[in-house]
Amino acid sequence: MPDTSHSLLQRLQDRTRPDNESWARMVEVYSPLIRNWLKRSGLEGQDADDIVQEVLSVVFRRMPDFQCQEQTGSFRAWLRTIAINCLRDFWKARRRRKAGAGIGSGNDEIQQMLEQLSDPASPLSELWNREHDRHVTQYLMQLIQPEFSEKNWQAFHRVAVRGEPAKDIADELGMTLNAVYIARSRILTRLRQEGRGIVDSEFSA
């Protein structure tokens, strides 16, 4: 079992205590996210699988050197840069192969996409940020849900995610209003603990 007193990012960075389960979680949460962005560049199938593997391999090799900055989103920006570089290398290699075969390179749209993603202020980078936080938050919620009772989880989800009135939730679930707020606070604390350094904003679905 991973040490839940540390965040997922902290466990991944600690090479003195290899944590295969946490790395498996990293692969599980980020593979579909990265693959979805590769589809935007027209890559699917084996090409996409290869790039996903390359991105995660780079993350694994460089994770001990990653410095979590104080500003929000430092990890997702770092990951985005790695993904951009891996995708750029892929298209450069493809252009060289086509040039060697006497085929036009094209890929102007891909180049524009990479340039936009390289700009942290671009709409495309902002979309990456939103999708990253939403995807990772949903994964972390699924991860920690078994740690709490069904009633407490319902109370948290309805008040914190759906935005329903706490009083109505308390009445329907047979809880005190204070118990609803305690459940919300404890689960949010656990979410922030698990996601510290990866998702720095307020957790929301």
Side-chain angles (χ1 to χ4, degrees), residues 96-150:
R96 285 196 296 269
R97 290 195 299 270
K98 286 186 175 182
I103 303 173
S105 60
N107 300 331
D108 289 341
E109 292 183 1
I110 301 301
Q111 186 60 37
Q112 291 177 8
M113 174 184 172
L114 292 174
E115 289 176 357
Q116 287 187 48
L117 278 174
S118 298
D119 177 6
S122 73
L124 200 58
S125 289
E126 292 177 358
L127 178 61
W128 163 279
N129 293 342
R130 291 194 300 272
E131 291 190 356
H132 172 276
D133 286 359
R134 181 171 60 248
H135 177 82
V136 175
T137 297
Q138 290 175 345
Y139 176 86
L140 292 177
M141 288 173 63
Q142 294 173 4
L143 180 67
I144 71 166
Q145 183 174 354
E147 301 175 16
F148 300 92
S149 71
E150 179 62 24

Side-chain angles (χ1 to χ4, degrees), residues 41-203:
S41 67
L43 290 177
E44 297 188 75
Q46 189 60 51
D47 286 339
D49 291 341
D50 290 345
I51 296 176
V52 169
Q53 183 175 357
E54 177 61 20
V55 170
L56 293 174
S57 295
V58 174
V59 170
F60 178 80
R61 292 196 304 270
R62 297 184 182 175
M63 182 64 80
D65 300 323
F66 170 70
Q67 298 294 322
C68 186
Q69 306 298 321
E70 292 184 1
Q71 68 267 26
T72 296
S74 58
F75 179 81
R76 72 186 178 209
W78 182 70
L79 176 68
R80 188 181 71 241
T81 298
I82 291 174
I84 291 168
N85 289 338
C86 289
L87 189 54
R88 184 176 285 121
D89 289 345
F90 170 84
W91 285 111
K92 283 181 179 178
R94 173 169 285 191
R95 284 198 299 271
R96 285 196 296 269
R97 290 195 299 270
K98 286 186 175 182
I103 303 173
S105 60
N107 300 331
D108 289 341
E109 292 183 1
I110 301 301
Q111 186 60 37
Q112 291 177 8
M113 174 184 172
L114 292 174
E115 289 176 357
Q116 287 187 48
L117 278 174
S118 298
D119 177 6
S122 73
L124 200 58
S125 289
E126 292 177 358
L127 178 61
W128 163 279
N129 293 342
R130 291 194 300 272
E131 291 190 356
H132 172 276
D133 286 359
R134 181 171 60 248
H135 177 82
V136 175
T137 297
Q138 290 175 345
Y139 176 86
L140 292 177
M141 288 173 63
Q142 294 173 4
L143 180 67
I144 71 166
Q145 183 174 354
E147 301 175 16
F148 300 92
S149 71
E150 179 62 24
K151 181 179 288 189
N152 283 341
W153 188 265
Q154 284 188 44
F156 153 75
H157 194 270
R158 291 177 64 179
V159 72
V161 178
R162 296 182 184 177
E164 297 179 22
K167 181 63 169 61
D168 294 348
I169 297 168
D171 292 342
E172 292 179 26
L173 296 179
M175 302 172 67
T176 66
L177 186 59
N178 189 51
V180 171
Y181 287 130
I182 289 174
R184 175 185 180 277
S185 177
R186 287 178 176 172
I187 295 175
L188 281 176
T189 296
R190 181 69 183 93
L191 273 170
R192 293 188 181 105
Q193 178 188 50
E194 189 68 22
R196 188 181 301 117
I198 297 178
V199 181
D200 305 286
S201 58
E202 284 293 314
F203 284 93

